[in-house]
Amino acid sequence: MQEKFTREELLSVLDAAGIGGVTDVSRYGSGHINITFKVETSGGKRYILQRVNTDIFDEAPLKRNVMRVTEFLKKKGVKSLSVVAYDSPWRIYDFLEGYDSRDIAEEPRHAYDVARAFAKFQNDLADFPEPRLDDIIPKFHDTPDRLRQLDEAAKVDFEGRLAKVSSEMAFVDRWRPQASKIVDMMARGEIPERIAHNDTKINNVLTAPDGSAVVIDLDTTMPGSALFDFGDMVRTSSAAAAEDEKDLSKVYSKKDYFEALARGYLEGAKFLNDAEKENLAFAGRLSTFEVGIRFLADYLNGDKYFHTAYPEHNLVRARTQFKMVESMEAQRDEYEAIVRSLLK
Ligand code: ADP
Ligand code: GN1
Ligand code: MG
């Protein structure tokens, strides 16, 4: 996908949306998928300008879903992304002022706020009207299918990278038997399909010091499972280090942050059934494993999906994910006990 745009191109997109007096347009945030800019104007009003990743997203259904979700939330009086213009593949949102975006939780309170925000988001969308939202990326959280994609990528073996990942592939093989648990439970009807966010990483929610929060990055809001939403919160909001930390001794899942997440989520998500509640801690491990195999597959494919800053970036990310899974496995009994005690 085209990554570089001239100032003139960006200004003409803004101009077409009636935005003038632009004093600065610069790359912003650390999302891995779209190209995001912060726009400053002379009047002080700020915007987010985004170039949607059309290699990944089908533009028409994406726009339809995002417009439907934002309009539905607006009618309910729920603060959400406010769309200023959407002329695919470009879109402009009001800059959400007064909130912080972070890649890592710095105190348990941040994890608690994230979990409350996503639980509320799922509640707010529980009565979303027909027709069903489009499956923007089919099989997005189908972990066995993600394994199949990894096996395909191993055959691509871009620049002989497979030889460098034998210990990671061995880790994947040890984990394979557990990979289908959530999709199997969904197929059996034990876990319901819900409108989920599907990408609940910590930088997809903006929080304010008073605990208020706004859920953003609505591109994957579609039918899914509450468990993958909780799982990805554990992956990112209990992590002691960044997703791409090279020093694995710094990478682990923090128990007090997990406790804050589970508490916040269970306080907000009163709709969960028993099967969902029983699998919350497992979902943390599985979601983290799933993102790990996606990074590894992208590495073996030659870095075609996630934005990367250097050649080994996806491999570094895969390693941190697998280290996080190991850390959660080492604390498995404690994490299960935390959830049980919160449910009493
Ligand atoms: P990607 O799909 O690439 O992850 P996001 O929609 O998550 O893109 O945007 C990337 C980052 O930009 C977010 O993590 C957040 O920090 C920032 N951001 C996005 N939308 C807004 C907004 N309306 N106001 C303030 N910051 C925003
Ligand atoms: C991507 O778009 P972003 O950076 O918020 C990805 C998620 C991954 C995440 C890993 C549409 O999220 O699924 O879990 O990277 N989004 C998409 O950091 O694939
Ligand atoms: Mg994002």
Side-chain angles (χ1 to χ4, degrees):
M1 189 182 63
Q2 186 184 346
E3 285 248 4
K4 297 254 181 291
F5 299 92
T6 62
R7 190 176 159 80
E8 286 63 41
E9 283 173 280
L10 301 173
L11 288 179
S12 86
V13 174
L14 291 162
D15 185 57
I19 297 171
V22 175
T23 52
D24 187 53
V25 188
S26 47
R27 283 292 288 267
Y28 187 70
S30 44
H32 295 342
I33 303 295
N34 298 308
I35 300 182
T36 304
F37 301 89
K38 175 163 63 70
V39 179
E40 313 258 1
T41 64
S42 51
K45 173 112 180 92
R46 304 199 292 174
Y47 301 91
I48 286 286
L49 168 66
Q50 251 178 1
R51 177 29 166 107
V52 164
N53 188 331
T54 48
D55 294 345
I56 293 176
F57 293 118
D58 201 350
E59 292 175 62
L62 178 76
K63 177 175 175 182
R64 197 159 56 233
N65 273 12
V66 169
M67 295 309 294
R68 285 183 70 200
V69 171
T70 50
E71 280 163 15
F72 177 79
L73 292 173
K74 193 174 175 185
K75 267 199 207 120
K76 274 199 167 180
V78 175
K79 194 162 170 90
S80 179
L81 285 174
S82 138
V83 180
V84 175
Y86 200 139
D87 185 8
S88 216
W90 291 97
R91 63 189 177 197
I92 301 165
Y93 297 123
D94 283 321
F95 192 95
L96 287 155
E97 303 287 353
Y99 294 90
D100 299 318
S101 171
R102 56 176 67 82
D103 294 332
I104 184 160
E106 285 134 22
E107 45 183 286
R109 174 84 208 185
H110 292 154
Y112 175 85
D113 289 345
V114 165
R116 287 292 300 227
F118 282 114
K120 180 172 183 304
F121 182 79
Q122 292 171 343
N123 259 318
D124 287 334
L125 293 175
D127 59 345
F128 197 80
E130 293 288 321
R132 194 174 186 273
L133 285 167
D134 277 284
D135 289 304
I136 285 301
I137 301 178
K139 296 180 183 282
F140 194 61
H141 285 302
D142 182 329
T143 321
D145 196 63
R146 294 295 187 181
L147 280 170
R148 186 194 58 73
Q149 291 175 22
L150 173 65
D151 295 337
E152 289 297 315
K155 287 184 209 148
V156 173
D157 189 14
F158 180 80
E159 291 181 348
R161 289 179 172 186
L162 186 59
K164 297 183 188 159
V165 300
S166 45
S167 68
E168 288 73 22
M169 291 303 266
F171 178 85
V172 171
D173 282 337
R174 281 201 302 284
W175 244 82
R176 263 177 211 268
Q178 302 180 67
S180 67
K181 188 173 178 195
I182 294 180
V183 285
D184 287 349
M185 291 181 85
M186 286 186 83
R188 291 195 298 266
E190 292 162 22
I191 291 174
E193 182 180 273
R194 302 181 187 282
I195 304 285
H197 184 279
N198 291 304
D199 187 3
T200 58
K201 73 196 260 192
I202 189 166
N203 62 25
N204 286 332
V205 60
L206 305 179
T207 57
D210 67 358
S212 61
V214 186
V215 168
I216 62 166
D217 198 345
L218 304 175
D219 294 338
T220 52
T221 299
M222 60 181 167
S225 163
L227 284 179
F228 283 106
D229 274 9
F230 183 73
D232 210 67
M233 290 180 226
V234 181
R235 178 180 84 80
T236 56
S237 292
S238 81
E243 188 181 66
D244 58 357
E245 171 60 56
K246 289 184 181 148
D247 178 354
L248 289 179
S249 70
K250 294 184 181 155
V251 177
Y252 56 94
S253 171
K254 298 198 273 194
K255 189 169 89 174
D256 47 342
Y257 287 59
F258 176 82
E259 195 276 338
L261 274 172
R263 195 159 38 80
Y265 192 60
L266 288 170
E267 278 174 20
K270 295 292 179 206
F271 48 78
L272 297 177
N273 75 13
D274 288 346
E276 289 173 307
K277 290 174 191 161
E278 280 159 23
N279 282 287
L280 288 172
F282 172 72
R285 303 195 289 279
L286 185 66
S287 300
T288 308
F289 173 74
E290 186 185 276
V291 175
I293 60 179
R294 290 176 60 198
F295 285 141
L296 190 57
D298 201 32
Y299 177 68
L300 294 172
N301 272 330
D303 310 314
K304 302 248 178 329
Y305 188 93
F306 298 104
H307 294 324
T308 50
Y310 55 92
E312 308 279 285
H313 207 164
N314 273 315
L315 176 58
V316 167
R317 290 170 175 153
R319 286 180 175 149
T320 61
Q321 301 313 294
F322 295 156
K323 178 74 197 298
M324 280 290 288
V325 174
E326 283 174 350
S327 170
M328 289 181 221
E329 280 180 320
Q331 301 175 85
R332 177 187 172 138
D333 292 348
E334 291 154 88
Y335 280 21
E336 301 285 358
I338 287 169
V339 175
R340 274 197 308 277
S341 77
L342 290 165
L343 288 169
K344 273 190 197 140

